[in-house]
Amino acid sequence: MTDTALRHPRPAHALLVDGRTVEIRAAGPDDHDRVQDLYAHMSADNLRLRFFCVGRRSGQLAADRLREPARPGRLTLLAILGDRLAGVAEYATGQDPAAADVALAVSDDVHHTGIGTLLLEHLVHAARAEGIKVFDADALAENHTMLKVFADLGLRTARHFDGPDVHCTIRLDPDERYLAACDERGRGADTASMRPLLRPRSVVVIGAGTKPSSIGRAILRNLRRGGFAGPLYAVNPHAGAIENVPAYPTLAELPQVPELAVLAVPAAAVPEVARQCGAAGVRALVVVTSGLDSGQAVALLGACRRHGMRLVGPNCLGIANTADDVRLDATFAAHRPLPGTAGVAVQSGGVGIALLGGLTRLGIGVSEFVSLGDKYDVSGNDLLQWWEGDGQTDMALLHLESFGNPRAFSRTARRVARVMPVLTVDAGRSAAGRRAAASHTAAAATPTMTRQALFDQAGIIATRTIGELLETAALLHSQPLPAGTRVSVVSNAGGAGVLAADACQEAGLTVPVLPHSLTRELLDLLPAGASAVNPVDTTAAVSESALRACVDRLAGHAAVDAVLLVLVPTALAAATGDDPVRALTHAEPAQRSGTVAAVLLDQPEGVRLLHTAGGGVVPAYSDPRAAAQALAHAARRARRLARPQGTVPVLKGTDPAAARALVEAFLAEHPDGGWLDPRACGELLDCYGIFRVPQAWAEHEQAAVDAAARLAGPGGRVVLKAHWPGLVHKSEHGAVLLDLQGEEQVRAGYRELTGLFAEVLTGMLVQPMAARGTELFAGVVQDEVFGPLVLFGLGGTATEVLADHSARLAPLTDLDVHDLITAPRCAPLLFGHRGGAAVDLEGLEQLLLRLSAMASDLPQLAEADLNPVVARPDGVEVLDIRVRVLPRHAHDPYLRRLR
């Protein structure tokens, strides 16, 4: 019996269908009486469905099993709702350790709340960790509720009817269907839990002081002035009313239990006040207090979990919902947010104030605003799921400094980003990278690259500054997405148009030469001296009507995806009374099917929205670069929406079980982890069908000579690579000899390396010289927060110097692989540069997919470095491999649990 076999799952909290929180934990002998009491109070009908009989003896025996000695293959989980036991589930293996009988019981009064499904999900998670592959369950045919729970779980389930009984066989190999089912259940429960927070029917502010400088009083003032739609209270033992809002000495003396409590009390008081709120039945907390120590933080979150309250904060600005039937402004911001359609979530209060001000100035406004603060509970993932179905949000703006569960966030964002733009300020970028990293892969995997991979794969628009975020939001809010990257620049000053064209090219857009027929049409509209090649120079003499007609024609033409109108004030326009800006604002929207943006070089604001006579809106920027960047973000979003969602291909010829056995055997000998030797590296790649150059291990000179003759054949050439534990960069140590031919050169090479490294040398690797090709590199880094990151790019000894890499988070879809291969600057070399033959692209795709599968299957894989990988038209082969493993446990992306 091993410690691993008896390791109990960690207690976890998860959300029920109605938004309440339940604790799922392993049962022990001390829980005997609670389990016995659960069955003792169960209805006769419920007992019959569970035990196939109505006697109480079966419940007693089920409870008595908790006092039996623990053994592998048996586990009982409890669902604790508040202070009481609400459900119990168990599995136990028999003669076949890969199959277990499973049983489930839920208290009569909490049926249909999702407790049974949650217990089963956590049982599946624990069983898979023990190597169990199948659950067997028996139920009465009339037990439709239980049969539906099994059927809706999302796992492959087979039923066998035998008279009044049904035998169910549930295979525990989760796939995309199971993950989608878990996502769907989690989304519904999460949304239900957020309603008391963002649409509360009643609110109390605890800690609203009588002094004007009180933060609690400022929040109470904003709630009252904003016209909160429900009952509003304050708790203060020294006042009968604050801001014309009735105040009560304690929470217990309120005339009703409020759904939402805003806490603005000293840090030391927060845990106890939170406990009182939970005990009273409050459903959600916003804690604006800062400065909680670790003990206070644990106590606060513990109170929220025990009593099923969702928590925003601590150390936050507050929350707001501008809907007419809510009018919630529970913030201490100086100005009330303008009602609108942008959902905003920020960790920094200062960033939140800046975004609220910018969105108000633009007229976009906000639907909901949440200052996450220290983000103990509610996260960006929760808010994306809420906005997905709130009926009023059409754009999400995020400022997140950290990610509690990036993999869950990525899945949610991928889905939400297909129905609304999701924008973020990429906070926490680091230019320093990991200079001290042990391998090329680890050195390339900077925090910036990891975050960018998350954003790219999720379809999130990542901006560098708050200004850029607002500039992009203005375009997405007001204009249709461009169909492509072709921009026509129109200007009444030639130099300004050239600057705008340069900005478009630098942003990744194209400024193509316009078709001859379109050019002729434009010249017929414009005054003498105009140029219409693109940029279109209308000259300063252009009239308002001619400029409008020019823009309208371009915006409706198939050769143009977007029009960027650049205007400067001229004395000629002032003299004639023409206003070029009216060419935008007095347009007929029906004539403009394309995207239109303006640059007004004399405007003081970085961006503003111009309202047109026909009811449309056009964004106007003060800088061509800002306009170009916003257009580029919009074009990338359009391109992403136009392509299908990727899928993770099913790979043939892999052996994950053998790979796990290899890694576990190494860790058994090296409990702290380390670098695999070359032979183990080769075997690991073989488990995933990754083609590598043949190799042989030699521990003495004659073995090296024999291996060279066998691998290279007559006249062939070989490579000798010295090895010792901890060696990573062989070339830097001079531990590689190339192009050795014949026995004499092999012997001389072996002796040379032995002489250099005799004190540390453990052996040598012999490989045939590979044919020339494009040297690439592929690798994996297992990030503690983000999971496995796959990197790809230009390889060889200069890979870190050139830094030509791209990255994606595993598991890779087919589209992720395409992006990985096409993103590096060296990509043209792979597709046939200057008439050369393309490399084996299918082989490259397979290499990356198989590397992704290896990283996903093996959480112990800390880093893997394949460099160089030589790609040629006739194939792809790995020449050198380095793999480091650490004792880590698998993260189950299927398991629903709160942080």
Side-chain angles (χ1 to χ4, degrees):
M1 184 179 299
T2 66
D3 291 339
T4 301
L6 294 180
R7 184 182 294 116
H8 286 311
R10 293 178 58 187
H13 290 85
L15 295 170
L16 299 178
V17 170
D18 58 8
R20 287 184 293 173
T21 303
V22 65
E23 181 186 9
I24 308 292
R25 66 167 176 83
D30 292 344
D31 295 302
H32 172 275
D33 292 348
R34 300 184 77 175
V35 172
Q36 180 174 294
D37 190 61
L38 172 74
Y39 289 122
H41 289 85
M42 195 172 283
S43 68
D45 192 49
N46 204 1
L47 279 174
R48 183 177 61 82
L49 294 175
R50 164 64 179 88
F51 295 112
F52 295 24
C53 63
V54 295
R56 302 286 170 180
R57 178 63 178 163
S58 296
Q60 175 70 53
L61 293 174
D64 290 345
R65 283 197 292 271
L66 295 178
R67 291 177 171 169
E68 296 176 3
R71 69 169 177 85
R74 187 175 70 197
L75 177 67
T76 301
L77 292 181
L78 307 180
I80 310 297
L81 187 60
D83 292 323
R84 71 187 187 93
L85 178 62
V88 58
E90 58 186 320
Y91 68 71
T93 57
Q95 292 183 344
D96 181 0
D101 292 327
V102 64
L104 173 67
V106 175
S107 181
D108 293 34
D109 60 331
V110 288
H111 284 188
H112 309 295
T113 62
I115 286 178
T117 301
L118 267 174
L119 283 168
L120 280 176
E121 288 179 13
H122 283 254
L123 276 184
V124 168
H125 169 72
R128 291 182 67 235
E130 286 203 77
I132 297 170
K133 300 182 182 302
V134 174
F135 274 170
D136 291 311
D138 292 310
L140 292 174
E142 65 184 278
N143 194 349
H144 304 296
T145 300
M146 185 60 63
L147 293 175
K148 187 174 189 326
V149 167
F150 290 147
D152 292 346
L153 198 57
L155 296 170
R156 288 182 294 163
T157 302
R159 294 182 181 183
H160 175 70
F161 288 84
D162 184 10
D165 301 338
V166 182
H167 181 75
C168 299
T169 301
I170 306 167
R171 301 205 59 83
L172 308 188
D173 43 355
D175 53 17
E176 188 63 28
R177 178 171 170 262
Y178 180 64
L179 185 50
C182 290
D183 274 352
E184 184 65 28
R185 290 190 288 265
R187 181 171 37 187
D190 197 84
T191 300
S193 77
M194 296 287 286
R195 192 205 58 76
L197 180 72
L198 290 173
R199 299 186 68 87
R201 288 186 281 259
S202 52
V203 176
V204 63
V205 178
I206 304 176
T210 56
K211 296 180 180 179
S213 60
S214 163
I215 288 178
R217 180 169 180 168
I219 294 172
L220 193 64
R221 182 187 309 120
N222 282 347
L223 280 163
R224 182 182 62 79
R225 291 180 179 177
F228 175 62
L232 179 61
Y233 307 105
V235 169
N236 186 315
H238 308 296
I242 303 173
E243 294 288 335
N244 295 320
V245 174
Y248 296 83
T250 65
L251 183 68
E253 295 176 70
L254 295 180
Q256 69 178 98
V257 177
E259 281 198 317
L260 171 65
V262 181
L263 275 56
V265 298
V270 166
E272 175 58 22
V273 174
R275 186 198 64 78
Q276 293 174 6
C277 288
V282 172
R283 296 294 306 279
L285 297 183
V286 173
V287 180
V288 300
T289 307
S290 62
L292 275 68
D293 62 30
S294 59
Q296 293 160 352
V298 169
L300 168 60
L301 188 56
C304 291
R305 292 290 181 256
R306 180 180 180 185
H307 296 288
M309 298 181 292
R310 297 309 306 264
L311 166 67
V312 167
N315 186 26
C316 70
L317 182 66
I319 65 173
N321 185 333
T322 65
D324 286 340
D325 59 341
V326 181
R327 300 193 301 278
L328 174 77
D329 183 6
T331 74
F332 56 93
H335 304 288
R336 191 161 64 251
L338 178 74
T341 59
V344 179
V346 297
Q347 280 189 255
S348 163
V351 172
I353 291 172
L355 286 177
L356 287 176
L359 292 168
T360 295
R361 180 176 53 77
L362 287 169
I364 297 174
V366 302
S367 54
E368 282 117 358
F369 167 80
V370 178
S371 171
L372 296 166
D374 291 339
K375 206 173 65 169
Y376 285 6
D377 177 29
V378 171
S379 66
N381 195 46
D382 296 301
L383 291 164
L384 285 178
Q385 293 188 101
W386 172 266
W387 292 330
E388 185 180 12
D390 73 347
Q392 62 185 108
T393 303
D394 62 15
M395 180 186 301
L397 276 60
L398 308 174
H399 170 262
L400 302 176
E401 297 169 356
S402 63
F403 298 87
N405 187 341
R407 279 165 273 196
F409 175 81
S410 178
R411 287 188 64 86
T412 300
R414 284 187 196 219
R415 186 182 68 247
V416 176
R418 297 195 76 86
V419 296
M420 71 174 70
V422 179
L423 299 89
T424 187
V425 180
D426 187 7
R429 298 190 305 270
S430 169
R434 301 178 182 178
R435 296 190 181 99
S439 71
H440 297 298
T441 303
T446 63
T448 300
M449 178 171 281
T450 307
R451 293 170 66 90
Q452 192 60 53
L454 172 66
F455 296 147
D456 286 346
Q457 287 173 271
I460 296 172
I461 299 170
T463 64
R464 294 162 295 180
T465 64
I466 296 172
E468 184 183 339
L469 184 144
L470 290 170
E471 290 154 4
T472 306
L475 182 75
L476 295 173
H477 173 76
S478 60
Q479 291 290 303
L481 292 175
T485 61
R486 300 168 302 173
V487 179
S488 176
V489 175
V490 181
S491 177
N492 64 346
V498 171
L499 289 175
D502 290 344
C504 288
Q505 295 279 7
E506 291 164 1
L509 303 168
T510 59
V511 185
V513 175
L514 300 177
H516 180 71
S517 59
L518 178 57
T519 300
R520 293 305 313 166
E521 288 184 54
L522 297 178
L523 291 177
D524 289 342
L525 295 171
L526 299 174
S531 170
V533 292
N534 202 15
V536 176
D537 182 2
T538 67
T539 78
V542 67
S543 67
E544 177 186 322
S545 60
L547 184 59
R548 182 186 308 122
C550 175
V551 172
D552 289 346
R553 185 67 188 100
L554 286 166
H557 199 280
V560 175
D561 299 313
V563 178
L564 184 57
L565 178 59
V566 186
L567 298 175
V568 298
T570 66
L572 186 58
T576 60
D578 276 331
D579 182 358
V581 176
R582 285 202 298 263
L584 289 169
T585 59
H586 287 61
E588 291 294 334
Q591 296 178 4
R592 296 180 180 170
S593 57
T595 307
V596 177
V599 175
L600 307 181
L601 293 173
D602 63 332
Q603 77 174 24
E605 305 98 330
V607 61
R608 61 187 173 120
L609 294 178
L610 303 176
H611 292 270
T612 70
V617 182
V618 177
Y621 302 86
S622 62
D623 187 335
R625 291 172 299 179
Q629 192 62 57
L631 283 169
H633 283 308
R636 281 191 288 272
R637 172 164 173 75
R639 184 169 63 248
R640 184 175 185 86
L641 292 176
R643 71 179 189 174
Q645 298 188 60
T647 58
V648 178
V650 177
L651 301 174
K652 297 180 180 179
T654 65
D655 191 350
R660 281 191 286 268
L662 187 155
V663 169
E664 288 168 2
F666 177 85
L667 289 173
E669 295 184 10
H670 307 84
D672 295 331
W675 295 91
L676 300 182
D677 65 42
R679 290 167 293 181
C681 289
E683 292 173 14
L684 186 60
L685 263 61
D686 292 344
C687 290
Y688 285 89
I690 298 175
F691 188 76
R692 57 184 175 87
V693 68
Q695 64 183 37
W697 179 253
E699 296 184 0
H700 54 80
E701 183 177 320
Q702 187 58 46
V705 170
D706 294 342
R710 183 173 67 255
L711 293 173
R717 300 175 183 272
V718 297
V719 179
L720 280 184
K721 299 177 179 179
H723 178 75
W724 60 88
L727 174 63
V728 179
H729 301 306
K730 301 181 182 69
S731 298
E732 294 178 7
H733 289 80
V736 179
L737 296 178
L738 304 173
D739 216 24
L740 303 178
Q741 185 177 33
E743 179 178 338
E744 184 177 340
Q745 290 188 10
V746 172
R747 290 187 183 278
Y750 191 94
R751 292 168 185 167
E752 178 183 342
L753 293 177
T754 302
L756 289 172
F757 310 113
E759 294 183 359
V760 293
L761 190 69
T762 55
M764 293 190 199
L765 204 63
V766 185
Q767 295 175 326
M769 280 291 292
R772 293 185 179 274
T774 301
E775 289 194 357
L776 304 168
F777 119 96
V780 171
V781 167
Q782 193 83 229
D783 189 282
E784 290 283 4
V785 175
F786 290 82
L789 181 75
V790 179
L791 294 96
F792 172 77
L794 192 63
T797 56
T799 181
E800 290 175 34
V801 176
L802 298 176
D804 186 16
H805 309 132
S806 59
R808 290 294 184 273
L809 294 166
L812 299 180
T813 67
D814 49 356
L815 295 181
D816 291 333
V817 169
H818 175 268
D819 292 342
L820 266 179
I821 293 174
T822 56
R825 296 187 300 277
C826 68
L829 298 175
L830 310 179
F831 291 87
H833 185 56
R834 292 185 176 178
V839 305
D840 179 9
L841 295 172
E842 184 178 352
L844 264 185
E845 291 173 356
Q846 282 293 310
L847 169 71
L848 293 171
L849 287 170
R850 291 172 184 276
L851 190 60
S852 166
M854 182 169 71
S856 300
D857 291 341
L858 303 173
Q860 306 95 330
L861 189 68
E863 53 188 296
D865 204 45
L866 281 56
N867 182 35
V869 174
V870 174
R872 300 183 299 271
D874 62 340
V876 175
E877 58 184 355
V878 178
L879 271 57
D880 202 55
I881 316 154
R882 291 177 288 274
V883 175
R884 184 167 68 97
V885 296
L886 293 174
R888 290 174 174 165
H889 299 294
H891 171 84
D892 190 343
Y894 303 92
L895 192 63
R896 287 192 289 147
R897 53 190 164 193
L898 292 168
R899 291 192 297 163

